Amino acid sequence: MRKLALILVMCLAVSLFACAAGETAWDVKVIPEGLDSSTVRVELPGMDRLSNNYHGDRVRLLFQMSYDRKVIKEESRIVELSEFDDENSYTMELPYFGKWMFTAEYMTGDVIIKREKNIPVNLGVTKVNFMDGVATTDVLIEALKWFTEDGSIDTSIPTIVNINRYRAFDYDNLPENMYTNPLMTDAEIHSNVGYWVRADWTKQYVKELLEINPDTYFNFYVSDIHLRLLAPICYYNHIPDGQYSITLVTDGSATYTVFRDIYNGENGFEMHENYMKEFEEFRASLRDGSLPNYDDRYFIRRYIYALLDVEEAHGNPARWWVVRKSGDTFGLPDAEFQAKVLADPRITSNYINNLLSAVSAAGNDEGFKQLYSFDDEIFGSARNEGKKLMMFIGTSAALEKTYPPFDYMQFLITYFGDEYAYYYKGHPGNYTLDSESVQQPYKDMGVNMLDASIAAELFMYFNPDICVAGYESTLYQNIGDVEQDVALFRRTYETAMDTTNLAFYADKMDIFIADMTDTEDTFTFAGNEKALKVLEAALKAVPEEEAGDRNYLVEFNNTSRQVNEYDFAIWNASKGVIRYLAGSVEEGLSPVE
């Protein structure tokens, strides 16, 4: 009897579905509330027929967003007929703006008796922000600006974040009005694909929003040395002039190096005029499609500053956020042109510590920490033991392979001993530190591992007593406290002071450590007569039997404060021995007995 009853139910369901399929459409409608709203009203005029003729009791409302013939996002809800209002309509919210396809599945119990699908639902916006971050500093500044409430970012409108170093943000704790690109799957969002690939997703989403509302206004935030991102997301999409703004955001110290390379002549004004003409032509060729698939990342960098003038001439506001706007950071050879740059109100300083202070003043520390998944409990045990904190700053995987950090770190551990607890904060783009085998050498030295995806400035801001040492980094220009800067790896004092990016903070450092055998490295000795004289004097102090060991020149910076009784030492990393050197470079150096 049970089998017979089941067969009869199944036959009834099949007959109902077949009968319903022969019906004309029931004129289901999905009506968006309007621009800037994610509310939709679903109207089902055929509900009476569903209930009376087919004994239907519920409807599944299915919204799908697709890209490249693949469903990316899906939002569905089973709604009882009793939940519809007197006008046979039901209101719900969708999680993203953009193009959706709607399907209504009329059901009796769990059996679908009729389906109406492929009904387009377009949710548009009047304004939207796009943050396509590439490195660490640009994303950090944008995130901090979001929480400072100073009006530099309009947080009341949707903001789409698409960052190359994807683990910087906790996508489960995005603040209100901040979204990931809905055309990306969760796997794609959490993957280490290149920023150029990510730009394709951004390009498509910008295109769809513009198709929904041709008057949409776009605010683009892009890294200043990765301007090629503007080609796909802005120019190829033919956004009309007057409907977008561009904010260039610094990539840290690389910004200044690139900018000096661009304006390396004696007549900066003439160079700027030429760059403006070039960019005008280049921009036009991108917009009219005569230069498709452009991806020369280096060529377009020369237009960092020219872009501001060209875009503003076309009615598109443009500005440039750097970390430190000063003569020593820009270092342009044409003093008059540099004065023009420094006086330009569109270029503004964004000192990291000041931004962090503004976030605190606005009472948004917790929201900011959640966005960055910031957790500093790792320092708790060291604090309980009364130890100072030292954070070693890493560099890119390629540089660390060529110039490993271990000998540098071991010197400081030997020099300071148990006075400190030691931590390693790897480069945010170097995810190899996820590997246990890669982490092991650090652990063997007693060095704790910090989350590489979090900017070092955050650890320091929320733990202002941390001391830092490591490879050359924008970090040192951001923190500012002379007592915190301990040591530079792979640098001599003279080469650091002769390097524009370093000179304004190098004299704050206590210690400089350089490989004595790497005389061809311009970061240490090559090309610097003063540094080579120091090396020559130090080499004479190396015992003959240790000449083949891993020897490092250590320079103690006693110019601004007393760091060590001696100015120089030799660190024999092979034997783990520090030999202090007495005397002077001019009269000769000798090991202290």
Side-chain angles (χ1 to χ4, degrees):
M1 287 295 293
R2 284 185 178 179
K3 288 185 178 180
L4 179 59
L6 179 60
I7 291 172
L8 288 173
V9 169
M10 292 179 64
C11 288
L12 174 62
V14 171
S15 64
L16 287 173
F17 191 90
C19 180
E23 294 268 5
T24 58
W26 289 355
D27 297 324
V28 59
K29 293 183 178 68
V30 184
I31 304 171
E33 189 174 68
L35 291 175
D36 302 321
S37 173
S38 58
T39 301
V40 295
R41 188 173 78 255
V42 180
E43 294 184 353
L44 299 178
M47 277 180 52
D48 290 340
R49 275 187 287 166
L50 172 64
S51 177
N52 298 333
N53 298 352
Y54 305 107
H55 308 289
D57 55 7
R58 58 179 61 180
V59 182
R60 183 185 185 217
L61 309 178
L62 173 64
F63 293 85
Q64 293 177 317
M65 185 177 282
S66 300
Y67 176 53
D68 198 21
R69 294 178 294 182
K70 178 174 64 177
V71 174
I72 306 297
K73 295 290 187 294
E74 187 170 285
E75 188 79 6
S76 68
R77 187 173 303 175
I78 293 179
V79 182
E80 302 294 328
L81 296 189
S82 59
E83 296 181 66
F84 284 80
D85 62 22
D86 294 340
E87 297 179 349
N88 292 344
S89 67
Y90 180 84
T91 300
M92 63 182 290
E93 300 281 330
L94 293 178
Y96 297 99
F97 294 96
K99 294 185 174 183
W100 295 86
M101 280 292 181
F102 173 71
T103 297
E105 294 176 340
Y106 305 91
M107 308 171 69
T108 177
D110 294 329
V111 178
I112 299 172
I113 59 175
K114 180 175 175 56
R115 179 183 288 117
E116 292 191 75
K117 60 182 181 179
N118 296 332
I119 299 170
V121 180
N122 296 328
L123 300 182
V125 294
T126 54
K127 292 182 180 180
V128 61
N129 301 322
F130 276 87
M131 293 182 180
D132 276 62
V134 174
T136 301
T137 304
D138 57 337
V139 174
L140 176 58
I141 288 176
E142 290 164 9
L144 287 168
K145 289 276 196 179
W146 177 279
F147 287 99
T148 57
E149 300 180 0
D150 66 355
S152 55
I153 295 178
D154 187 349
T155 59
S156 69
I157 65 177
T159 297
I160 312 303
V161 294
N162 191 11
I163 56 179
N164 189 46
R165 290 174 184 161
Y166 62 98
R167 295 191 301 184
F169 286 176
D170 181 354
Y171 296 117
D172 294 328
N173 281 298
L174 295 180
E176 185 180 359
N177 277 337
M178 187 179 285
Y179 309 88
T180 55
N181 189 334
L183 300 186
M184 298 172 65
T185 65
D186 287 344
E188 289 166 343
I189 290 169
H190 292 87
S191 65
N192 196 24
V193 299
Y195 65 83
W196 195 238
V197 177
R198 289 176 177 272
D200 286 336
W201 286 304
T202 305
K203 173 186 177 181
Q204 180 63 25
Y205 191 44
V206 168
K207 178 184 177 183
E208 292 190 5
L209 291 178
L210 197 59
E211 288 172 345
I212 295 170
N213 176 24
D215 295 325
T216 299
Y217 191 95
F218 298 87
N219 296 310
F220 294 112
Y221 297 80
V222 296
S223 166
D224 54 10
I225 65 171
H226 296 87
L227 295 185
R228 65 181 187 141
L229 286 172
L230 288 173
I233 67 178
C234 181
Y235 302 132
Y236 287 158
N237 273 317
H238 309 293
I239 302 175
D241 283 329
Q243 283 186 216
Y244 65 86
S245 72
I246 295 174
T247 300
L248 307 181
V249 188
T250 181
D251 190 31
S253 58
T255 287
Y256 309 115
T257 301
V258 170
F259 195 56
R260 278 193 300 276
D261 289 343
I262 294 169
Y263 291 94
N264 59 1
E266 294 301 320
N267 192 333
F269 292 94
E270 182 178 338
M271 298 181 75
H272 187 62
E273 287 295 325
N274 290 334
Y275 290 145
M276 286 173 60
K277 291 176 183 176
E278 286 181 14
F279 183 63
E280 183 71 60
E281 296 173 1
F282 176 71
R283 176 183 181 277
S285 66
L286 293 174
R287 290 171 66 90
D288 66 19
S290 60
L291 186 62
N293 303 318
Y294 173 79
D295 67 352
D296 186 338
R297 73 182 71 179
Y298 300 104
F299 176 76
I300 196 171
R301 287 180 179 178
R302 74 176 69 185
Y303 305 133
I304 289 175
Y305 190 38
L307 177 144
L308 302 186
D309 289 328
V310 172
E311 286 295 347
E312 285 203 340
H314 286 280
N316 306 307
R319 58 187 175 179
W320 187 10
W321 292 344
V322 296
V323 173
R324 191 167 182 263
K325 180 182 175 182
S326 65
D328 53 8
T329 52
F330 282 109
L332 304 181
D334 184 340
E336 283 190 51
F337 183 73
Q338 176 162 280
K340 172 192 181 306
V341 172
L342 296 178
D344 194 327
R346 298 170 301 181
I347 306 173
T348 56
S349 294
N350 293 273
Y351 192 68
I352 302 299
N353 262 24
N354 289 348
L355 291 175
L356 282 161
S357 296
V359 170
S360 294
N364 289 329
D365 277 354
E366 287 308 311
F368 178 75
K369 287 182 178 182
Q370 286 180 3
L371 176 62
Y372 262 84
S373 296
F374 183 78
D375 182 2
D376 56 1
E377 291 183 3
I378 191 172
F379 302 130
S381 59
R383 292 192 183 285
N384 291 336
E385 295 174 17
K387 291 186 177 183
K388 298 179 183 178
L389 308 177
M390 183 178 294
M391 179 168 58
F392 295 126
I393 305 301
T395 186
S396 68
L399 281 176
E400 286 200 5
K401 184 176 181 180
T402 306
Y403 307 99
F406 307 112
D407 286 348
Y408 299 107
M409 294 163 60
Q410 190 61 60
F411 167 77
L412 293 172
I413 294 171
T414 303
Y415 183 74
F416 288 108
D418 291 337
E419 180 181 353
Y420 286 88
Y422 301 94
Y423 303 84
Y424 184 78
K425 216 298 292 185
H427 190 279
N430 183 4
Y431 293 132
T432 55
L433 290 179
D434 288 340
S435 165
E436 282 295 325
S437 62
V438 174
Q439 289 188 36
Q440 198 58 50
Y442 298 91
K443 294 179 179 179
D444 292 342
M445 296 169 66
V447 176
N448 303 284
M449 307 304 290
L450 296 175
D451 186 342
S453 69
I454 296 176
E457 288 88 344
L458 303 189
F459 288 111
M460 300 200 65
Y461 180 77
F462 294 108
N463 298 271
D465 57 335
I466 291 180
C467 295
V468 289
Y471 298 94
E472 180 180 330
S473 171
T474 306
L475 168 72
Y476 308 114
Q477 76 184 41
N478 292 339
I479 54 177
D481 190 338
V482 71
E483 299 304 324
Q484 292 175 271
D485 296 331
V486 175
L488 271 180
F489 298 170
R490 192 190 159 209
R491 276 290 183 185
T492 60
Y493 175 80
E494 297 296 347
T495 57
M497 292 304 294
D498 283 349
T499 304
T500 306
N501 283 349
L502 277 70
F504 63 92
Y505 70 74
D507 204 37
K508 296 189 301 180
M509 309 301 290
D510 296 340
I511 301 169
F512 299 82
I513 314 169
D515 186 344
M516 297 175 70
T517 65
D518 206 355
T519 56
E520 298 302 312
D521 183 8
T522 56
F523 277 58
T524 53
F525 305 103
N528 190 296
E529 291 186 11
K530 293 180 181 178
L532 287 169
K533 285 182 180 179
V534 176
L535 175 63
E536 182 182 2
L539 283 171
K540 293 177 181 178
V542 176
E544 185 176 346
E545 64 274 15
E546 296 181 12
D549 289 347
R550 301 192 315 278
N551 290 311
Y552 291 79
L553 173 67
V554 180
E555 298 172 273
F556 298 100
N557 182 10
N558 292 322
T559 58
S560 59
R561 61 194 184 282
Q562 189 66 28
V563 178
N564 190 281
E565 180 182 353
Y566 304 100
D567 290 334
F568 303 101
I570 293 172
W571 162 237
N572 185 325
S574 300
K575 293 183 170 58
V577 174
I578 301 173
R579 286 192 172 88
Y580 297 101
L581 304 179
S584 67
V585 173
E586 293 75 17
E587 297 179 5
L589 297 170
S590 58
V592 177
E593 297 299 330

